Amino acid sequence: MGEQVEQSSMMLEDREQLLEMYNSIFDIIYNWIVVVDRQGIIRMINSRYCHFLGVEQQEAVGKHVTEIIENTRMHIVAQNGRREIGDIQQIKGNKMIADRIPIYQKGQLIGAVGTVIFKDVVELDAYVKRVGHMEKELDFYKKELKKALGTDNTFDNIIGTSQALQRAMNLAKRVASTKSNVLLLGESGTGKGLFASAIHNASPRSEYPLIKVNCAAIPSELLESELFGYEGGAFTGAKKGGKPGKFELAHKSSIFLDEIGDLPLNMQAKLLKVLQEKEIERVGGVKSQKVDIRIIAATNRNLEEMVKEKTFREDLYYRLNVINIRIPSLRERKEDIPMLADYLIRKTAKEMDRFVTEISPAAMRCLVEYQWPGNIRELENVIERAFNLVDKEAGITLKQLPTYLVAEQETEAVYAETSLKEAVEAVERKTISRCLNETMGNKYQTARLLGISRTSLYEKMEKYGIEVSK
């Protein structure tokens, strides 16, 4: 019997402490709060509200709400049971924003609670402006993060009007807004990474940064921990607190798996599990976690042939190949080369702070005629190289282009419709390069074949940017 009395006493003491804590919270909370019963009599009101009204709590409690708060509707809500949210109420000359909510107990209406959220409309305006400012800051930092990660590209950054490119772009735009996985096919340097960024930034996931992984660049023994992350102490050298993997970082976003054809078979199986179960498990971890990701994969390899050769899983191939987009090589869209060259010249001029604005007709013809095995990446390198060789000229001419690129073209194609000076330089360049090849790079013999001194040969080689392979 004594134990029961002691337990009851402890329970009563706990309830009293809990009630005291509730009262303290009610009294110090920032918002002004009042509670009335069904008849509109004030049962509770916090000290902040009383201080504004100029009354004592003991004086307010027990009186009808209309006697204490002007323009109140608390007694009406306590009667009709209909909540009033965001109502503007004027008290002591101040326009305030109030909420009035009915209180039910066991299904019966027993009163109402009212809160003043904003003490005046000016406070609301300041709050809205503050939130708007925070949203702008957040948007700014999101954009800066995308720039830092190199993932801020859109379809506007894809240069070209050729039919082959437009077909690829139109399909990419159509599937960007879906959740389907995308497989980008194309040679190295065609712009698969640019397409991946554009697809992501045109999708509902664009709020989050695109996570990029080059499957060929990461050693196979590190690939699992890079993709899935690891727990602390999972292996020698692991960080104390562990590390999230790329899939974890891509939650609610997209992950770009470049060179997917280089993924080892054991990792292909793990990737398939992620696609099927939508969950991952860190290396050394004991529990799985759900991930919401969209995969954009890319390869320059023939995955169908790899499936036949059993070097790429057939089930994974079909999981990835929901939508496949073939990006044309540069030689398949040569009509885009002038536009691309112009874009790259302006871009490089800005990056290198050099005043180079144009390219000569002969040099442009040379770019168009070349086959570009390295695609856009090779074209970009050629433009950058030309910038480093431009002296006082404000434009790129034949002499700034690599020897191999110019020598591949027929002489007529190179200097047709050019100035006499450019035509002579093109012939000189090609003749010197041919002689150097014939003499296996021997400059003494080359000078003798050309009938010029070695000093003259060195000067012309430097002028035309001719280098001898070692």
Side-chain angles (χ1 to χ4, degrees):
M1 183 70 178
E3 290 181 1
Q4 291 180 346
V5 172
E6 187 177 349
Q7 287 180 353
S8 298
S9 177
M10 289 177 63
M11 289 176 62
L12 183 60
E13 186 177 343
D14 288 343
R15 288 178 181 174
E16 288 176 349
Q17 289 179 351
L18 192 61
L19 181 60
E20 186 178 346
M21 183 178 69
Y22 286 154
N23 285 331
S24 297
I25 294 171
F26 180 85
D27 207 40
I28 65 174
I29 199 166
Y30 178 74
N31 290 348
W32 298 344
I33 306 177
V34 61
V35 179
V36 302
D37 62 17
R38 187 75 190 275
Q39 285 70 44
I41 304 300
I42 295 175
R43 294 304 178 186
M44 297 178 73
I45 184 169
N46 65 350
S47 59
R48 288 180 180 272
Y49 208 169
C50 288
H51 178 74
F52 172 74
L53 296 170
V55 297
E56 297 292 330
Q57 280 181 299
Q58 297 86 342
E59 180 188 348
V61 175
K63 288 189 178 179
H64 197 273
V65 68
T66 55
E67 297 180 48
I68 303 298
I69 305 173
E70 63 180 295
N71 300 316
T72 184
R73 290 177 52 83
M74 289 292 297
H75 57 299
I76 298 172
V77 173
Q79 284 291 320
N80 63 27
R82 290 194 291 270
R83 65 169 55 194
E84 297 178 356
I85 305 296
D87 185 47
I88 296 178
Q89 178 181 347
Q90 185 164 324
I91 307 176
K92 298 179 70 172
N94 294 298
K95 288 184 178 180
M96 305 181 177
I97 298 175
D99 291 346
R100 308 179 189 98
I101 303 170
I103 303 172
Y104 289 89
Q105 190 176 67
K106 296 181 180 180
Q108 296 295 317
L109 180 63
I110 62 170
V113 57
T115 62
V116 174
I117 303 173
F118 300 102
K119 281 62 176 184
D120 53 46
V121 177
V122 175
E123 185 181 9
L124 172 62
D125 185 57
Y127 177 80
V128 170
K129 286 180 178 177
R130 192 158 58 247
V131 171
H133 180 69
M134 290 171 63
E135 287 180 341
K136 286 180 180 178
E137 278 191 340
L138 181 61
D139 186 54
F140 171 77
Y141 288 124
K142 283 179 180 176
K143 288 178 180 177
E144 289 301 305
L145 177 61
K146 283 186 177 182
K147 288 179 182 178
L149 295 174
T151 59
D152 61 328
N153 291 309
T154 67
F155 286 109
D156 291 335
N157 297 106
I158 301 176
I159 308 299
T161 58
S162 62
Q163 289 187 2
L165 182 67
Q166 290 302 313
R167 279 195 298 269
M169 283 182 61
N170 290 337
L171 179 55
K173 288 177 180 178
R174 288 180 63 183
V175 304
S177 60
T178 71
K179 294 182 178 180
S180 300
N181 296 326
V182 177
L183 180 61
L184 301 175
L185 305 173
E187 298 176 7
S188 293
T190 52
K192 297 187 289 294
L194 181 57
F195 264 80
S197 292
I199 291 170
H200 170 73
N201 288 325
S203 76
R205 298 170 182 264
S206 61
E207 183 179 352
Y208 300 91
L210 173 68
I211 303 300
K212 295 181 177 181
V213 180
N214 189 320
C215 300
I218 304 173
S220 56
E221 62 271 16
L222 299 178
L223 196 54
E224 183 175 6
S225 61
E226 280 292 314
L227 290 177
F228 295 92
Y230 57 81
E231 297 291 353
F235 50 83
T236 303
K239 288 184 179 180
K240 187 177 180 181
K243 179 185 175 183
K246 300 296 187 183
F247 286 126
E248 200 172 332
L249 294 173
H251 180 55
K252 293 186 178 180
S253 185
S254 309
I255 185 167
F256 176 45
L257 300 178
D258 198 9
E259 307 295 351
I260 191 73
D262 291 278
L263 201 64
L265 279 169
N266 66 316
M267 289 307 301
Q268 291 179 27
K270 293 180 182 293
L271 174 57
L272 180 64
K273 185 178 179 182
V274 174
L275 292 172
Q276 290 175 334
E277 301 177 10
K278 303 293 184 183
E279 61 182 29
I280 60 161
E281 185 177 309
R282 287 186 178 186
V283 176
V286 293
K287 61 179 182 179
S288 300
Q289 56 182 306
K290 291 288 184 181
V291 288
D292 173 19
I293 57 175
R294 181 194 199 179
I295 291 180
I296 303 175
T299 183
N300 59 359
R301 303 178 68 176
N302 189 327
L303 292 187
E304 289 186 0
E305 287 298 320
M306 292 180 68
V307 168
K308 292 176 183 177
E309 295 167 0
K310 306 296 183 183
T311 55
F312 199 88
R313 292 182 63 109
E314 184 177 14
D315 44 8
L316 176 60
Y317 172 68
Y318 288 116
R319 281 279 185 177
L320 294 173
N321 194 33
V322 178
I323 302 291
N324 78 68
I325 301 172
R326 183 181 173 278
I327 303 172
S329 63
L330 192 53
R331 61 183 171 276
E332 294 176 271
R333 56 184 189 105
K334 286 191 172 184
E335 60 266 45
D336 291 336
I337 290 177
M339 189 182 300
L340 275 167
D342 180 64
Y343 167 78
L344 290 171
I345 287 171
R346 286 185 281 109
K347 175 173 174 278
T348 309
K350 185 177 180 181
E351 291 174 353
M352 297 181 66
D353 194 23
R354 299 288 298 276
F355 185 72
V356 178
T357 59
E358 57 187 33
I359 184 169
S360 72
M364 180 63 77
R365 182 183 295 275
C366 195
L367 296 182
V368 173
E369 292 297 324
Y370 184 60
Q371 293 303 303
W372 299 108
N375 293 293
I376 299 172
R377 189 177 296 128
E378 185 182 5
L379 175 60
E380 190 168 8
N381 290 341
V382 166
I383 297 294
E384 184 176 345
R385 178 187 185 278
F387 266 74
N388 283 285
L389 298 177
V390 168
D391 189 14
K392 296 179 181 179
E393 301 92 345
I396 296 171
T397 63
L398 284 171
K399 65 181 180 181
Q400 283 91 37
L401 299 184
T403 306
Y404 73 86
L405 193 149
V406 178
E408 184 176 296
Q409 316 307 320
E410 290 297 325
T411 303
E412 291 79 11
V414 173
Y415 63 73
E417 300 180 15
T418 68
S419 68
L420 179 61
K421 179 184 176 183
E422 285 183 317
V424 171
E425 288 176 346
V427 174
E428 263 194 352
R429 185 202 308 252
K430 186 174 181 181
T431 304
I432 292 170
S433 298
R434 186 177 64 248
C435 287
L436 281 167
N437 287 333
E438 290 175 0
T439 62
M440 304 295 288
N442 189 307
K443 296 173 186 175
Y444 173 74
Q445 293 182 20
T446 300
R448 287 191 61 187
L449 282 172
L450 293 171
I452 60 176
S453 68
R454 277 187 293 176
T455 302
S456 296
L457 175 63
Y458 295 151
E459 289 174 352
K460 291 181 182 295
M461 287 178 66
E462 184 178 356
K463 177 183 176 181
Y464 299 131
I466 300 173
E467 297 175 358
V468 178
S469 301
K470 295 183 180 179

